[in-house]
Every structure is written in structure tokens, then in C-alpha cells.
Amino acid sequence: MLSRLIRMRWPLPVAAALLVVVAIGVAVVAGGGDDALVIYNGRSHYGDEQVFEDFSEETGIEIELRGGTAPELFERLENEGDDTPADVLVTTDLANLWRAEEAGLLQPVTSEVLSENIPEGLHEAEGHWWALTTRLRVPVVATDRVSPDEVTSYESLGDPQFRGRTCLRTSSNEYNQSFVADLIAKRGEAGARELLESWMANDPEIINSDGEILGAMAAGDCDVALVNHYYLARSLEEDPDFPVAPAWPDQDGAGAHANVSGAGVVAGSDRPEEALALLEYLSTVEAQELLAARGEFAANPAVGPADYIADWGEVVTDPIDVEAAGPLLEDAIALMLDVGWR
């Protein structure tokens, strides 16, 4: 599909150069207009616009990026129904992909290109969504106060020695919700509860974002925490001496919890072939290298980590059980609130 579209003679983009308009969370790229492929982009805050520009330049397909948070885009798609202008949904986290699929907002698509580039386990079985990147939710430590050797598992965050020294993001955060849903799927409700109660017993400071957590650790306000790995990767890219390090969990066992960001073709799309071509392009080595440049791991196994975290590519990971964890998201939220995780 992608190669056929690239060979076709498409009209030149309306704009001679990139036109970006930011207004009410909307960005227009490569001309836009009535004939543009409309992308609801939940990764708009990740600085990924270049990969979409490259797709437009390579194929001649005009695109329009409309940014927003993942929940905002989900609500927008639900409200618009069959009248949505969207053709592709790009979003973060299993929770958002699963909810979009369950709500009937995505249509199944597959192709030889996608199947070759994205391994099983990193896409929905029928092709409702395909992973773009993977991200690990892992413990991290303040290196001037804690050795990574002191934190070897998720249980370590409940070690009494860290009472009053831990930070966690809010329970309303989708990354935490997916993590706990996966815990319930793999350990059962009782096992997940035991782990979370040990964390709460350490009286963690609750902070609104992973970036703020890392800042608090650097400032000496907490010594151990749980974050998505790429937040730390970006801090280390900017400052190799940033005083926080990953403490990869369960490396002799299941490994580090791995979630995904991904994309799917919107059910009401008027341009499903062009939408599929975009998904194919995003799975290629060229595009995956751009998506992984800021610390995430590429979904395409042919692409390794960015150079500044090259040694992180050997980490043992525990991929999220999408089919089992998705239906447990509401149970996960209830459990987190029940144990006192604000």
C-alpha cells in the first residue's frame, strides 16, 4: 500500500513550506485543507511533527494535525461520531487505545508492511491499533542518596527504608492505571493490592507529572520514584550528570513493565487507504528512528535505542497483557483509590 501510494503522482502540497497554526489546540501541517488526511495527534506534546511532515513530503499526501491530550481526543471522537473529520488517531498508553477500540472508534486494518515491521503483541489482534513506540514504567533512584542496587523490583518501592522518601504520580494518571490493570491481570487482585498497600505504607509524596517527580528528586525532595523511562532519558540527554538513574526491576524474572503508544485508523475515515499508508510509514525504520530519538523505544525491532541510552536496549521487559489488562482498567482505578493512592 505505502509503496504504491508513493509511486502515484499526487498534487503538490498547497503550501510551499510547512504552515503551522496553533489555535485552540489545532495544528495544521503541510497545507491542510478539505483534501487533507486529518490526524488527531495525542503525541503533539512529544515534538513528533517532523515524522508527519516527512510522510507528506514523501507521498504528496496533505495532512492536518490536530493536537490534544489523549482523553480530549477520545471525547472529541465520541462526540463527533460518524461526522468526525478524523482519519487517524495517534495516542499514548494502552488505556487510550483499548478504550478507543472498545468504543468502536477504530477500524481494523492490516497489511504485509505492518505485519513485517510491528511484532505480535505490539498490535491489536485484528489490527484496530498498531504500536508506534514502547515505554517502560520503572523505579528510579536519586544517585547521590540511593544505589540502584538497593532497588531491584517493584516491591522495593514498599521497602520500609524508603518511608517518607518516595514519590508517585497521581492515581488519575493513565500510565499508572494501565500499570495496575496489568498487575491485576498477572498477579490477581490480592497480589496487586498487597504491592500497592506496601507503597502507600511508605507515605509517598503524590506529584502531578513524571517530569515534576524527576525535578523533585534532583532537588532532594524524594529518593525513589516510579516514572516512564523516557522522561529520565530526556533529562540525561540534556544533562548527562543529572542525578537520577533507572533501577531496572525484576531483571532475573518478569522484567520491567512495558506499555505502548500507538495509532489506528478512525472508523469513520473517508480516506482509509491513505490512513493505512500513514500507519505503514510510521512503522518503517526511517520513521521509527525519529520517534525513538527522544528516549522512547521503537516498536520496530530493527531500530535500537537512541545513542545516549544505547545500553538501555538490553533491559528485560514485561509487555503489558493488552487483552487481559484492558477490561481491568476500572478495577485498577477502584483498587488504587481503595488503598489510598490519591
Side-chain angles (χ1 to χ4, degrees):
M1 170 65 68
L2 176 60
S3 58
R4 181 174 68 81
L5 285 170
I6 291 174
R7 290 196 301 269
M8 291 176 67
R9 294 186 177 181
W10 295 85
L12 291 174
V14 174
L18 171 67
L19 171 64
V20 179
V21 178
V22 178
I24 318 178
V26 175
V28 180
V29 176
D34 292 340
D35 294 327
L37 187 73
V38 178
I39 303 159
Y40 280 10
N41 183 24
R43 291 180 57 94
S44 56
H45 57 295
Y46 286 79
D48 294 331
E49 287 79 7
Q50 184 63 52
V51 73
F52 297 104
E53 296 171 37
D54 291 349
F55 166 76
S56 184
E57 182 177 349
E58 187 164 335
T59 64
I61 299 174
E62 294 181 14
I63 62 171
E64 181 178 331
L65 288 175
R66 303 189 183 186
T69 67
E72 288 170 349
L73 295 177
F74 175 84
E75 183 176 357
R76 193 184 304 173
L77 279 173
E78 272 206 315
N79 291 338
E80 292 168 343
D82 293 339
D83 295 326
T84 183
D87 299 297
V88 176
L89 174 66
V90 176
T91 192
T92 58
D93 194 82
L94 158 75
N96 298 308
L97 291 164
W98 185 83
R99 286 170 179 145
E101 176 198 346
E102 282 294 294
L105 303 180
L106 303 176
Q107 60 177 286
V109 296
T110 189
S111 72
E112 186 175 329
V113 171
L114 285 172
S115 296
E116 287 179 354
N117 290 341
I118 307 299
E120 288 189 21
L122 291 181
H123 63 83
E124 194 273 329
E126 296 181 0
H128 285 89
W129 57 261
W130 296 79
L132 300 179
T133 64
T134 63
R135 52 266 298 274
L136 311 184
R137 194 143 190 82
V138 297
V140 293
V141 301
T143 53
D144 57 348
R145 300 184 297 279
V146 180
S147 167
D149 294 339
E150 294 181 68
V151 177
T152 59
S153 68
Y154 292 105
E155 281 75 10
S156 297
L157 293 177
D159 189 321
Q161 71 169 311
F162 296 124
R163 180 173 174 79
R165 301 169 62 192
T166 63
C167 286
L168 292 174
R169 194 164 174 172
T170 59
S171 60
S172 61
N173 172 250
E174 59 204 13
Y175 306 147
N176 285 334
Q177 292 171 4
S178 291
F179 173 81
V180 174
D182 196 44
L183 276 180
I184 297 173
K186 292 171 178 173
R187 302 188 183 194
E189 194 274 345
R193 177 181 292 274
E194 181 180 7
L195 178 64
L196 299 191
E197 286 180 342
S198 74
W199 291 5
M200 294 305 107
N202 273 346
D203 192 24
E205 180 178 356
I206 305 299
I207 297 179
N208 286 330
S209 76
D210 285 13
E212 291 178 29
I213 286 176
L214 292 174
M217 296 181 74
D221 294 336
C222 57
D223 295 345
V224 296
L226 186 75
V227 302
N228 276 5
H229 81 276
Y230 54 87
Y231 286 94
L232 178 56
R234 293 169 188 174
S235 295
L236 291 169
E237 181 187 21
E238 294 175 4
D239 176 10
D241 296 323
F242 188 73
V244 178
W248 306 118
D250 303 323
Q251 292 302 283
D252 294 329
H257 168 82
N259 205 323
V260 300
S261 72
V265 177
V266 173
S269 172
D270 294 329
R271 298 174 175 82
E273 288 194 355
E274 294 176 4
L276 174 56
L278 174 60
L279 264 60
E280 289 179 335
Y281 180 81
L282 293 174
S283 76
T284 64
V285 169
E286 175 186 5
Q288 288 277 296
E289 287 177 342
L290 280 176
L291 291 171
R294 299 208 60 219
E296 294 180 72
F297 296 132
N300 186 329
V303 177
D307 290 344
Y308 57 93
I309 54 168
D311 58 333
W312 292 10
E314 301 303 316
V315 175
V316 177
T317 63
D318 180 21
I320 191 167
D321 186 341
V322 175
E323 298 300 325
L328 293 171
L329 285 166
E330 295 304 319
D331 293 335
I333 295 169
L335 175 59
M336 295 165 82
L337 295 175
D338 193 47
V339 300
W341 190 342
R342 294 184 289 107

